[in-house]
Amino acid sequence: MTWLNLHPLTFLVFAPTLLGFVLMALPHKFGKLARLLGFLGALGIFILSLAWLLGHTPAAGGTVMAERAPWFTLVGLPVDYALAVDGLNLWLVLLTTFLVPLTMLGTWNSLKDRIGTFAALFLLLETGMLGALVAQDLFVFYLFWEAMLVPMYFMIGVWGGDERRYAANKFFLYTLSGSLLWLVALLYLANKAGGFNPALMAQAASALPFGVQGWLFIAFAVAFAIKVPLFPLHTWLPDAHVQAPTAGSVILAGVLLKLGGYGFIRFAIPMFPQAAMHYAKPIALLSVIAIVYGALVAMVQRDIKKLVAYSSVSHMGFVMLGLASMTVIGTQGAMLQMLNHGISTGALFLLVGMLYDRAHTRMIADFGGVAVKMPIFTTFFMIVTLSSIGLPLTNGFVGEFWILNGTFLSGFSWGRLYACLATSGVLLGAVYMLWMFMRVFWGPENKDEDSGTHHLHSDLNAREIAVMLPLVVLIVWMGVHPKTFVAASEVPVAALLQEIKAPAPRVFVLKPAVHEAPGIPVSGSPAPEAPAAHEVH
Amino acid sequence: MFITFALITLLGALGMLLQKNVVVAGLCMVAAFFGVAGLFVLLANPVAAALQIIVYTGAIMVLVLFVIMMLNSHEEEKAQASHPVQRWLSFALLAALAFGAVKLVLSSGGLKALAVAGAEMPQAMTLQKVGTALFADHLLGFEVAGLVLLAAMVGAVALTKRNL
Amino acid sequence: MNKYYWLIPILPLLGAAFNGLLGKRAGKSVVTVAGLGVVLGSLVLAASAFLAMKALPDHRLVLNYGEWMVTGSMAVPFGMVIDPLSGTMMLVVTGVGFLIHLYSVGYMHAEEGYARFFSYLNLFVFFMLTLVLGSSLPLMFVGWEGVGLCSYLLIGYYFETDFAPQAGLKAFLFNRVGDLGVSIGMLVLFASFGTLTISDILIQAGHLAPEASFGILTFATLMLFVGATGKSAQLPLYLWLPDAMAGPTPVSALIHAATMVTSGIYMICRLAPVYTLTPITMSVVAWVGAATALFAATIGLFQRDIKKVLAYSTVSQLGYMFLGLGAAGFAAGFFHVFTHAWFKALLFLGAGSAIHAMHHEQDLFKMGGLKTKTKITFLTMVAGTVAIMGFPGTSGFFSKDEILYLAYLKSPALWLVGVIAACCTSFYMWRLMALAFWGEPRDHHAYEHAHESPLSMTVPLMALAVGSLLWGFWGVPEAFGGHFNIGEWLKPALTYGQIHAAHGHHEGPAVLLAVISTTLGLAFGFLGWSKYKDGPAWELAFAAKFPFLHGLLLNKYYVDEGVELYLLRPIRWFGNLLWKLFDVIIIDGVGVNLPGALARVFGDFTALFQTGRVRNYALSMALGAAILLFVFLK
Amino acid sequence: MTGMDAILHGGLQGYLVVALLLFALGLATVLLRRTLLLQFMGVELMLNAANVALLAFARFRGGDAQAMVFYLFIIAVAACEAAVGLALVIGLYRHRDTTDSDRAASLKQ
Amino acid sequence: MSLTPSQWAALLPLLVPALGACLVILMSLDKDQATTKWIRGAMYGTALMAVAGSFWYLTDLWKTGAQPTFFQLHMDRLAQFTGIFVMVAAALTILQSWDHFHQEGWVKGETLALLLFSVTGMMLFASTTHFVALFLGLELFSIPLYALVGTVRARSESAEGGMKYFLTGAVASSCFLMGGVLIYGLSGTLDLAAAAATLRAQGLALDPLVLVGAALMLLGFLFKVSAVPFHQWTPDAYEASPHPIAGFMSVATKGVAFIALLRIFPSSLGPLTAVGVKMQAVVAVLAVATLVLGNLTALVQSNVKRMLAYSSISHAGYLMLGFVAGTPAAHTGVLFYLVIYLAMNLGAFGLLTAFGLVGEHTTFEDLRGLGWKRPALGFSAAVFMLSLAGIPPMGGFYGKYMIFRELVATGHVSLAILGVLASLVSAYYYLRFLVALFLQAPSAEAERLASDRPVVHAPLAGATVLVSAAIVLAGGFLQYFLVEGFAKRALVEGLGLIR
C-alpha cells in the first residue's frame, strides 16, 4: 500500500487503462461480463476519488494531492512527470470520475455489439481525461490531450450513426490540427524556457517580445478554443455529437469540452497574461457571438441531439466570456458553468439517448404528446431543461448570473456592453429549449404508425431513474448551494487574477445628495443612520 | 592523338544516343569503349586499356548484342514517340551539362594545380603495384567484390531460371 | 414563533413536492388536504409574522438563513424581509391564494390531473412568496422567474390540447423578455451599489441626489421596468396575458389577475427609493401605464369570450396601477393592487362559476339570463362590477380615484386618458353583466342544465365580494376626510428614511375630479347595460355600421399577427440562414472540407507525375541532380 | 598552359572534360532511348566516364595504384549490374514480349 | 596482413550472414526445394541462424564496448547500432517471408540468400568512410534488392518494378561513383575523412569540383532514402515486390542510407564546412518537397502498399528535417526515429502478410472488417498507424517530437509548422487504414473472395506483427532508454558527435 500512498494520482489516472486492457483482452463472447467489470471498475474509481480528494485537507496553495518526479530529457529539455489536484481541477476530476460510471449505467443496453471493447475504450478515455486534468507539466498535458482523441475516435467511428466515419475523422483531424500547431508553439516556448514546467515557461514567455507572446498565445488559444468549442471553430461538434453513441456524446459534452476552458484558465492565461488581456476582447466577442449564434442555430434544428449540441456551443460561450472577463466573479462563474454544463448537457444527452433507444428517431417532428406516454421521463426532461435554460435555484442560473455580473464589472471597456448582449442568450436558450420541449412532449399525441411517439411503449425503468436522480440532485444542489463546488477554486482564481494584474473591476460612482458628506461608499456598507434591522436566526 | 581518341569516344557515345537502329547503336557503343581504351593507353595505363577491351567490348557488349538479337528488339525506335517535354528537357539538360562540364573544369583551381604538378610525375602503372595494393590494402574490397559477383549471379539465376 | 417563519414559503414547496411526486398515488382527498393545508399553514404563519413585524418599532423584520451565491465581491444570502409592503403582499398572496385553492377543489374535482394541478398551485405560492419576501434582488428574481414557470405550467395544464401549450410557451417567453431587463437592471445596480441586498441598496439610494437627466440609475430602473411590463402585461409585452386564459379559471383568477401579474408593481414599490431618484423613468412608467390602460380597455369593449374581457380589463387595471406609480403614488398604486386583487379575483371566479354553470361555455353571446339560475354568482358578480367601475364607496372607487388624482397632479393629460379608460371599463363590464345575466337565454339547451356551483366555489365568491366592497375603507384619501392610512402604513417601506419625501401633496380639485370621473363612469356603465340587456343586437348593428373599427377592436389591433409576421418569422429565417449558409457552407464547406478536397485534388495532380515510364523517373532524378549542383555551386 | 589548350592537348582537364561529357551522354541515353538494353548501355557509359576520370587522376597522381584497384572493382560491379539488368530485361520480356521501357508502365500513380 | 582475435570478432557480424547466404545457396541447389518441406525449413533456419548469430556477435560487441577499426572498417558503436538495426529488420523479414511465400505458393532459397547478401552490404555500407568500401557496400546491398524486387515470377509487374528500380538505381550509383572519384581526384585519397582533411588543408574546400563531387555523392544517399525527386522508384518497386521484401526495403535501405549519410556528411566531411552548409540547405528544400509530395500523393492511393510507399517517402522527409536541424540531439532523434520506424513500418507491411492479402489484393477494400476478425492484429494495426501518424503515446510521436523540437530550437519554425501540417495530412490516410479495418463492414464481394480463399494462417507473420507492436509501444513508454542508452551512445561513442 505504500506505493499507493505515494502515487495515488498515478493510480487514479492509470487504473482505468489497466482495466481497459484487461477488458480488451477478453474474447467477444464475454462482452456482458466486460461491461459489468468496466462499470464496477469505474464506480470504484469514482468512490476512490471521492474518498481521496475530498478526504485530504488541501495544503496552503489549495493543492489536494501532487506527484512530481523527473521523467526524461531525450537529449534536451527535461520533462517532469508532474500530476496534481488543486482547487482549479478538483471538481472537474470528480465530475469526470462521476460521469463515466453514470454514463455506462445510463447506456447499459443501448449498444448491442462489441460492448466489451466499448467499455474498454471508455476506460482508456477516462485515463486520457483524468491525465489531462491533473497534468502539471505541459508535455504530459499534451500527451494526455492527444491520447484522448483515439478512444473517442473509435467510439464515434465504430458505434456511431450513419455518417459516423465522416464525423469521427472530422473530430480527430479538427482537434489534431489545432493541437499540432499548438505543439510547435509549445516547443518554441519550451526551448526558450529549457523545460516544460509551466512556471518556467511563463517566465520565459514574459521575457519574449510582445508580438511573439501574442502568437504563442494564439496558438494555445486556438487549440483550446477548438475543444471548447468557440465560434467559429465549433463545426466539428454537431457532427460528432449527432453521430456519436449516447455515451460518447455525454462524455464529449460532459468532460472533453471542459478541457478547453480548463486549458485557458490553467495554462493559456497564466502563461501569457499580457497577451491574454490583449486578446480578451476578441475572445469575448467570439464568445458573445457563440452564445447568440449557437442559440439561433439551435432554434431551427430538427434533430433533438443536434439542438442540444448547438446549445452546448451557446453555453460554452458563456464559459469563455466569464474567463475573458478576468474578474473573480466571472471566472468563478465560468468554473461553475463548466460543471453545470457537464451535468445538465450530459443529462440531456442521456435523456435523448433513452428516448432514441425506444423510438429509434430523434427528429422533433416525429414526436408530440410524449408526456402522455412517459410522464416520469417528461418530468426529468423538464427539470433538466429548466436547469439548461438557467432557471434560478437550478445550477444553470448561478453560473450564468456570475458570468454576466463578472463581465459587466470587468475592467475592460467592452465588459458592460458584452454582458448586456450576452443576456440575450438566456432568452434564446429558453426559446429553443422550451419550443422543442413543447413540440416533443406536449400537444396532441402523435398517432402516426411510423412516428416516434408511436414506438414509445415503456416509461423509464428503475435503472434509468437511478441514473437520472443523482443528476437532478446535483442540479438542485449546485443551484441552491454552489459554494460546495466553487469554494476550492476561489483562492486560486483570486490569486491568479491578482498575479496577472487583471484590470480592477469598473463600478459606477453615484452622485451623493448635496447636503451629504461627500463619498458614499459604493460598496454596500449600510450608512450610519440606517434603521437597525432585527437579525433573527 | 588525345583528340582522336576523345572524338572516337564521344562520337561513339553520341551515335549510340542518336542512332535509330538498335544494333548499329550498340556497335557505336563498341567504338566508344575502344576510344576509352585508347585514352587509357595515353594515360600510360596499358593494364586498364587491356581490361577495358576484354571486359567491356569482349564480355559485356557481346552479351548485350546477344540479348538484343535474342529478344529481337532491334526494330526501329521512333524518337518522336517520346513525349516532347521529356525530349526537350533532356536535350536542354545534356547541353547544360556539356557546357557546365567545360566551365567546371576550367574554373577548378585545384585541377589546374594538379595538372601542372602531376605532369612530370613518374607514371608507370605496373601490375605489381596493382597487385600489392589489391591484396595488401583492399583485401576486404576484394572479398566484397567477390560477394557482389556471387550475389549478382544468384540474382540473375533467380530471375531467369525456368523451372520454378 | 420567529424561528418558524422560514416555513412560510417552504410549506407550499413541500406541498408541491408531495403532490407532484406522490399525489397521483395518494388520491384526491389527500391531495386536497395537503394542497390546502400547506397554504393555510403558511397563511397562519404569515399572519403571525405580520403581527410580529407590526409590533416592531421600525416595522422591519429581517431574517437570514445562510448564504446562497457568494464569490468575489458578491454575497447573496438566503433571507426574508417582512415589512409593511412585503407583509401586506404576503397576506394577499396567502389569503387570496387560499381562497382560490379552496375554489379549485370544486372547480377541478373532475380533472384527472388533479394532483398535478395542486402541486403547480402550491409551487406557485412558494415562488410568489419568495418573490415577495426575498431579501435580495436575485432572490426576488428566483420568485420572479419561478412564478413565470408556474404560470407556464398552469397555462399549459391541458397540455394534450393544441392551444394551451402554445399559450404557455408564449407566456414564458414574453416573461423572459422582461426578465432580460431585470437581469440587466440587476447587473447595473450591482455595479453601482456593490450589493444586491435590497435594504442595502435602498439605504444607499436614500443618500443620493435625484438624477436630473438620463443617468445610470435611470437606465437601471428603465430596464427593471421592462421586466415589470413583461410580468405585469404592459405595453408592449402584454400579449401573453389574454392567451393565458387558456389555463383553468382558478389559475386565471389567482395568477393572472390577483397576484403574479402585480409583481411588476410590487417590484417598483419595493425599489421606490431608487425610482424616486429617476424622474424620467417615472414619467415613462406613468405614460406606459396610461397608454396600456386605455389600449386594453378599448380592446375589451367588444370581446366575446367572457374570460378575454376580464383578461383585457386586468391589463387595463394594471395600467392604472403603473399610472399611479408613475405619478409617484407608490402607495396609491399598491393600494389598487390590493383592491384589484379582491374584485378581479372575484370577477374571474364568478365568471368561472358562470362558465361552470353553462358547461364550459365561454362565449358571452351564447349566455344570458343567468341571474335567476345562479343567484349567488350573480350578486357577487354585481359587487365585483360596481367595485371595478369605481362606484362610490367601493374599494375600486377609492383606489382608482387616488390614482387619477395623482395623475392629474402630474399632468392633466394623464388624468384624461385615465378617465376615458375608466369609462370604457365600466362600459364593457356592464356589457358583460348584461350579456351574461340579463336578457333571454340564447343557448336554451345549456340554459336548461345551468345550476349554481357547489359551496366550495360560492364561499370564496362571497368572501371576496365582501372584501371588494369594504376593503377600500383602509385607504380613504384625505380628499374624502380619510387619512389614506395605507399610505402612512407603507411609508417606511417605500421611503426607507429617504432624505427628500416621495412627494409633497400639492393642492388640487380633488373632489371635483372625483365627481367628474365617477359620473362619467356611471353614465357609460348604464349605457353598456342598457344597450345589451336584451342581447347583442346593438353590437351587430354597430359592427355593420363601422366594420373597420369593430374589426380592429375585436381582433386586438392585429398585434399578434404582426408579431408573428415581422418578428418571429424573420428570426427563424435568420437562424436557418446562419445554420445552412454560415455553418454548413462557409465554415464547414470553405473552412474545413475545402482544404481537404484541395489536398485530394493536389494529390491527384502529384500522382500524375508517377507516369510509370522509367525514363520520366530518370528525368526527374536528373532535374534533381541539376538542383543539387545548382545549390552546391551557387 | 591555359585552360582551353590543356583541354585540347590532353592535359588532365582534357580527360576530365571527356569524362564529364561521356557521363552526360550516358545519362542522355537513359533519358532519351526507350530500348531498355540501350538504356543499360547508357549506365555503362556513365560508369566508364567515372573510370576515365579515375584513371586520369591516377595518372596525374603518379600512377596511384589505389585508383587502379578501385577501377578493377568498378569493372566487376559494372559486370554484375549488366548481369542483373539483362536478367531483368529477359524477365520483363517473358511477360510483356517487349524491351521497350515505355511500354512497361503498368505500375503508376 | 592478419587480424587480431578482437578484430575477427568484429568482422564476424559481416561474415556470418555472408556465409549463411552461401549455405542457403547450396541448399537451394536442390531442385525440388519448392516441394520438400524440410529443405525449406533448413534454408529458413540457416538464414535465421545467420542473422541471429550476427545479432549475437553485435550485441556482444556492444556490451564489451570495443570499437575496433581495421581494413576500411570502423566497427564502432554506430556500425554496431546499424548492424543490430539491420539484423532485427532481416529477422522480421525472414519470418514474414516464410508465411508470405507459402501464401503465394512458391518458396525459393535464392530470396533468402539475396536478402543475406544485401544485409551484409548494408552493414558494410554503414560502417566505413572509405569510398571503395562504401561503393562496394552500396552495390552489394543494391544489386540483390534489384533482383529481389523482380523476383515474383508470377507477376509481370514484378519484373517491371525490378527493372525500374534497377535502372534508376544504377544511374544513382554511377552518380555516386562519379562524385567519389572527383573528391578522390582533388584530394588524392579514397578515404573520405582523410580526403576532407587534406582538401581543407590545401584550401580546396570550395573548389567547384569538390562541391560537385559532394553533391553527386549526396544524390546517391538521397536516392536510397527515396527523397523527392529521387523517389519515383519507390511506389512501383514496393508494389512490385513481395510484402516482406517491400517492408525490408522501406526500413533497412532507408535506415542504412540515413546512417551512412550521417557518418559521411556531418561527420567525415565535417571539415568541409561549406559542404555541410550547402547540404543542409538543399536537404531543407528537398525535405519540404518530400513532405508535401509524399503526403499528398499518399492521400489518394487506393492500394495499401502504394500508400505505405508514399508514407515511407514522407517519413524520409521528417528524417531529413532532422538533418536540417543538424544538432546532435536531432541526429539522436533521427536514430531513435529509425528504430521506431523499423518496428512500425515492418509491422504495417507484416500486417498484409498476417491478414493473408496475397498478390494484388492489397487495396483498402480488401482490409475491410479484418480488424474485428483478428483483434490482436487489429490492435497492432492501430498501434502502427497511430504511431506513423505521430499520435502520443506511441513511439512515433517521440521521434517527431525530438526532430521538431530541434528544428524549432535551431530557428526553423516554419519548417516545423510545415512538418506538423504534413503529419496532419498523413493522419488522414493512416486513419483510412483503421477505418477500413474497424469502421467498415467487409463488402459482399470481399466476403465472397474470403469464402472461396482458404483461411490463411500466418503465425510467424502474426508474431512479428505483435513483436513490432510491442517495440512501438515500448518506444512510447521506454523512449528514454532507447534514446539515451542506444541511439545517443551510438552517436556519442561512435561518431563522437556529442562532446
Side-chain angles (χ1 to χ4, degrees), chain A residues 166 170 234-235 293 310 332 389 423 426 443 479-480 483 490 507-508 511 513 515 522 524 531-532 534-535 537, chain C residues 58 60 62 64 67-68 71-72 159-160 172 176 180 187 191-193 204 207 209 499 579 583 587-588 593:
Chain A
Y166 172 72
K170 195 172 178 182
H234 63 279
T235 52
Y293 180 96
Y310 274 107
Q332 283 286 74
I389 67 174
T423 47
V426 183
V480 174
K483 190 167 187 210
E490 180 86 30
V507 297
F508 297 105
K511 192 158 88 9
H515 50 73
V522 185
H534 289 256
E535 292 288 341
H537 289 295
Chain C
D58 62 350
R60 185 174 301 119
V62 178
N64 271 316
E67 53 195 20
W68 175 28
T71 185
F159 62 78
E160 63 278 15
F172 195 93
R176 267 266 159 154
L180 232 60
L187 298 184
S192 330
F193 294 102
Q204 287 186 46
H207 301 81
I499 311 301
W579 175 33
D583 229 45
I587 301 180
D588 246 6
N593 297 340

Side-chain angles (χ1 to χ4, degrees), chain E residues 48-118:
Chain E
L48 272 178
M49 291 301 296
V51 171
S54 170
F55 181 83
W56 162 262
Y57 287 118
L58 284 162
T59 44
D60 215 30
L61 212 54
W62 181 275
K63 283 204 215 79
T64 58
Q67 311 195 60
T69 301
F70 52 97
F71 295 156
Q72 291 83 16
L73 279 178
H74 302 289
M75 286 307 290
D76 54 18
R77 280 214 186 274
L78 187 59
Q80 297 160 18
F81 175 93
T82 320
I84 294 171
F85 176 83
V86 172
M87 288 312 153
V88 173
L92 295 176
T93 310
I94 293 170
L95 288 172
Q96 291 175 8
S97 55
W98 170 269
D99 285 331
H100 177 73
F101 287 132
H102 279 80
Q103 286 165 9
E104 292 284 357
W106 54 275
V107 187
K108 292 196 303 184
E110 288 86 343
T111 51
L112 291 176
L114 292 170
L115 194 65
L116 290 176
F117 280 129
S118 121

